[in-house]
Amino acid sequence: MSEIPSAYDDRRGSSAQRGYDNRWKKARAGYLRKHPLCIMCQATGRLVPAVIVDHIKPHRGDMVLFWDRNNWQSLCKWHHDSVKQRMERGGLAACDESGIPTSPGHHWS
């Protein structure tokens, strides 16, 4: 079943246009070598390999924020695709260095 792209998808461009090119692939691989575990799993005492370098604060096309390594975190696919997406949709995307949400209204607080 194919999905019809939304107007938002049309506006945001391809992954390469958003910065996810060969330079990103190399930076991502290096970051995951140095930070191989999902920080959200670690916060709950589990050691799960990370496969995604996530932007803690969504960059929304801001290339300075995109390349700011202080804005990167290692996540497993499950945390990235579920917990992190819900946090962003709910306005709760800010996390500390360990991946714990900093919003006082978040259920982990």
Side-chain angles (χ1 to χ4, degrees):
M1 171 164 99
S2 66
E3 293 183 30
I4 298 171
S6 69
Y8 173 73
D9 289 335
D10 290 340
R11 284 192 312 270
R12 68 185 236 180
S14 70
S15 60
Q17 290 169 327
R18 293 190 322 267
Y20 298 99
D21 54 13
N22 283 332
R23 181 178 169 210
W24 168 255
K25 289 176 187 174
K26 289 178 185 176
R28 174 194 169 278
Y31 190 85
L32 288 174
R33 273 192 301 278
K34 291 180 183 176
H35 308 278
L37 300 174
C38 173
I39 63 163
M40 289 186 178
C41 289
Q42 283 184 294
T44 63
R46 296 180 19 224
L47 301 178
V48 176
V51 294
I52 295 170
V53 176
D54 175 65
H55 291 90
I56 298 165
K57 179 180 178 186
H59 60 85
R60 307 220 191 286
D62 177 344
M63 288 295 110
V64 173
L65 188 58
F66 182 95
W67 288 107
D68 180 359
R69 289 176 183 252
N70 293 317
N71 189 42
W72 296 359
Q73 62 185 354
S74 297
L75 295 178
C76 65
K77 182 164 176 46
W78 184 83
H79 272 114
H80 178 266
D81 292 355
S82 61
V83 175
K84 178 66 188 304
Q85 298 305 312
R86 278 194 310 270
M87 288 167 56
E88 286 183 7
R89 283 191 302 271
L92 301 172
C95 299
D96 65 16
E97 301 79 36
S98 66
I100 301 297
T102 58
S103 171
H106 191 275
H107 68 274
W108 289 358
S109 298

